[in-house]
Amino acid sequence: MDALVSIWEALPSISKLAPPAPGVYTTILHYFQYFPLMTTIIWFLPWHPAGKTSADSVLNLPGRIAWCAMEIVGPINLIYNLMLPSIYSPSIADLPASNIMVASLYCIHYFNRAIISPFFSAPSMSPIHLFIMSSAMLFNWFNSSCLSGWLRGYTVPTIPYYETTSRSALVDAIPTIGIMTFIIGMAGNIYSERTLFRLRREEAEKRSKKTDNPGSNKFSKVYVIPPAQGVFRYILYPHYVFEWLEWIGFALAGTAVVPLSGLPPAPSAATTPPLRLAPWLIPFGWVAGKLAVPLPLPAVVFVINAVANMLPHARWGRVWYVEKFGEKAVAGRGAAVPGCAWM
């Protein structure tokens, strides 16, 4: 009991969480960078009660509502944190245009994910387990809290720290390249997802003509394997790969985010203690140092965490396709890596 009391007393107050104070921001980022370690269990555990792999449970929630809830947390938390006044950094009205632009990219993606996709594009959505929704909401809260601190201009010294070299003309083009990459990734993600939705609708219409049950939802639990053509020619989850491309572009665009040192003077409390980088982040710090650009650390963490979370789900999705439609229908395609049967 005493241990629980000590943990509770050590937690930061609400006023330091929204928006996160610099020290809290560093702590959240420190723990969130190790999220890939948690995802290792997904490689061995196929349990994912959502979408085509959902199962009956008293803890199931309506698919569209649960999906919206778990996706909308991110942009709401980000906007809320950026708009709130803070003694540590300027408010959103005083942030540089580049910071606001990067925040807008994030919100545009999640507007599509939380509103357009579930309510206007998907023919139906299977129930989602409460655990899945809660886990996704927690992930998006952690992620958007890290991003909001970064976009407010917080800087975090890292261990190891890399000295920057002289800038080149290419560096100035990186944010533009990032925005273009983000747009291509988002367009590909939407196209791939809408293609799946179209195939499901067509299959549901075919089945409905063979049955006489007008009162049922003809789209419910109707899933198809996409033919091996177009973006599905070599992989089964191009929408995942395109989303990763989106976030790579987001990180590249994030090199234009202006740190606090480039903003109007703020209290010295805005400085934060050094953050020891997770081993898989060290190469990104080295590259940022060589290119003489700020390391968009929260954005890089987001890319790695997104891939670490989605890749094993794609792997189990391929297993599901094989069990449901057979290896012949899968046609040798990998989940997200061409020609790789287990990934």
Side-chain angles (χ1 to χ4, degrees):
M1 188 64 180
D2 291 339
L4 292 176
V5 171
S6 299
I7 294 174
W8 178 262
E9 291 177 346
L11 294 175
S13 63
I14 296 297
S15 63
K16 292 185 177 182
L17 281 174
V24 174
Y25 160 72
T26 305
T27 300
I28 294 174
L29 185 57
H30 167 75
Y31 288 109
F32 195 52
Q33 69 175 340
Y34 288 102
F35 175 78
L37 297 180
M38 298 177 59
T39 66
T40 54
I41 191 173
I42 306 176
W43 287 98
F44 306 99
L45 184 66
W47 185 77
H48 186 72
K52 58 180 174 285
T53 54
S54 64
D56 293 335
S57 171
V58 296
L59 296 179
N60 277 351
L61 299 169
R64 297 185 198 273
I65 301 299
W67 185 268
C68 176
M70 67 192 201
E71 296 291 326
I72 204 69
V73 166
I76 288 178
N77 187 50
L78 182 80
I79 295 171
Y80 182 74
N81 286 343
L82 291 180
M83 293 188 68
L84 279 181
S86 172
I87 65 171
Y88 304 112
S89 69
S91 64
I92 191 171
D94 299 317
L95 288 178
S98 57
N99 295 36
I100 296 175
M101 177 272 295
V102 174
S104 298
L105 295 179
Y106 178 87
C107 292
I108 289 170
H109 169 89
Y110 277 100
F111 176 76
N112 173 68
R113 295 293 290 166
I115 305 297
I116 302 299
S117 186
F119 294 112
F120 297 96
S121 299
S124 70
M125 296 196 77
S126 297
I128 296 176
H129 196 279
L130 176 63
F131 176 80
I132 298 297
M133 186 191 75
S134 302
S135 300
M137 292 176 74
L138 187 62
F139 176 93
N140 285 325
W141 180 86
F142 265 93
N143 187 47
S144 56
S145 294
C146 292
L147 294 175
S148 62
W150 169 55
L151 293 170
R152 288 193 79 129
Y154 295 167
T155 56
V156 182
T158 62
I159 302 174
Y161 173 76
Y162 295 94
E163 293 289 344
T164 58
T165 58
S166 58
R167 293 175 63 88
S168 66
L170 175 63
V171 170
D172 296 325
I174 289 178
T176 302
I177 294 171
I179 294 173
M180 294 174 61
T181 302
F182 179 91
I183 293 173
I184 293 171
M186 185 170 184
N189 174 264
I190 292 174
Y191 173 78
S192 303
E193 191 176 65
R194 300 305 187 269
T195 299
L196 287 173
F197 291 159
R198 175 179 58 80
L199 293 172
R200 288 182 58 196
R201 283 193 177 90
E202 292 173 353
E203 180 64 20
E205 293 293 347
K206 291 179 183 178
R207 295 185 187 184
S208 67
K209 293 178 181 179
K210 300 178 182 179
T211 61
D212 186 20
N213 190 11
S216 63
N217 180 1
K218 62 183 177 182
F219 300 113
S220 179
K221 283 292 185 179
V222 175
Y223 295 102
V224 298
I225 185 168
Q229 59 189 36
V231 293
F232 294 93
R233 176 65 183 88
Y234 300 106
I235 55 177
L236 294 165
Y237 286 82
H239 45 308
Y240 281 21
V241 176
F242 277 118
E243 183 171 341
W244 299 338
L245 187 64
E246 270 188 86
W247 298 127
I248 291 172
F250 178 77
L252 293 175
T255 59
V257 168
V258 179
L260 199 60
S261 58
L263 297 172
S268 59
T271 59
T272 54
L275 183 147
R276 183 172 294 279
L277 295 177
W280 46 87
L281 293 173
I282 292 176
F284 296 95
W286 180 83
V287 171
K290 289 296 182 181
L291 294 178
V293 296
L295 173 64
L297 185 56
V300 173
V301 169
F302 184 17
V303 174
I304 294 175
N305 287 358
V307 175
N309 181 49
M310 296 166 68
L311 185 56
H313 285 309
R315 182 247 182 185
W316 285 113
R318 186 188 188 280
V319 172
W320 184 89
Y321 274 125
V322 171
E323 293 175 349
K324 184 77 173 180
F325 301 101
E327 189 67 56
K328 184 177 180 179
V330 171
R333 288 174 286 179
V337 179
C340 184
W342 60 277
M343 200 162 57

